[in-house]
Amino acid sequence: NDFTTAKLTHSISIFMHESMDINNFYTLKISNINSDKYQLLNTLVPNLKDKTLIVAGGEDSDSQLFDFASYSICLANSSEIIKEKASKIIPSDNPDDIIKYLKKIYYGKIKI
């Protein structure tokens, strides 16, 4: 179930997905081949420094976002730069495993 999808420019898209399993839990995917996710997220969410930010990514372009985040998650097939910065490396190449890990954080099974 797509909650919202917005096209900000021809190269930026935002996809928010409401969880089917957890009430009031959403995942947000920001895609832009010409910009970094940190700058876009900081523009969309004022005072980002005052928020607890959990991010997931795998490409070198996620580097600044990982530096800024409170907690960062990546998959085993992520770039070496991202794996060095990640708070947690999921020992899998399946993106669904990131959602499973986030659910554990949400339900308090994993403390960050």
Side-chain angles (χ1 to χ4, degrees):
N1 292 354
D2 297 343
F3 180 74
T4 185
T5 300
K7 272 267 197 217
L8 299 179
T9 70
H10 293 292
S11 61
I12 299 171
S13 63
I14 300 171
F15 174 75
M16 185 181 294
H17 180 78
E18 184 175 8
S19 173
M20 301 283 289
D21 300 324
I22 305 171
N23 289 334
N24 299 318
F25 187 83
Y26 301 88
T27 56
L28 178 68
K29 181 174 183 175
I30 302 172
S31 301
N32 183 349
I33 59 171
N34 298 319
S35 177
D36 71 49
K37 295 172 187 174
Y38 167 76
Q39 290 175 341
L40 181 58
L41 189 58
N42 199 31
T43 301
L44 295 172
V45 183
N47 304 315
L48 192 56
K49 292 179 183 177
D50 299 334
K51 312 286 187 219
T52 299
L53 180 64
I54 301 172
V55 301
E59 303 297 326
D60 290 349
S61 61
D62 299 323
S63 181
Q64 188 177 10
L65 189 60
F66 269 51
D67 289 340
F68 189 76
S70 309
Y71 194 82
S72 53
I73 305 165
C74 73
L75 293 172
N77 63 341
S78 298
S79 77
E80 290 303 316
I81 290 171
I82 293 301
K83 288 195 281 189
E84 289 173 12
K85 294 181 177 203
S87 306
K88 172 66 177 175
I89 301 171
I90 305 290
S92 165
D93 294 341
N94 184 348
D96 289 341
D97 291 337
I98 290 176
I99 301 300
K100 291 175 187 174
Y101 191 79
L102 288 170
K103 284 172 63 174
K104 290 178 183 178
I105 292 171
Y106 180 83
Y107 285 120
K109 295 177 181 176
I110 296 173
K111 300 288 183 200
I112 60 170

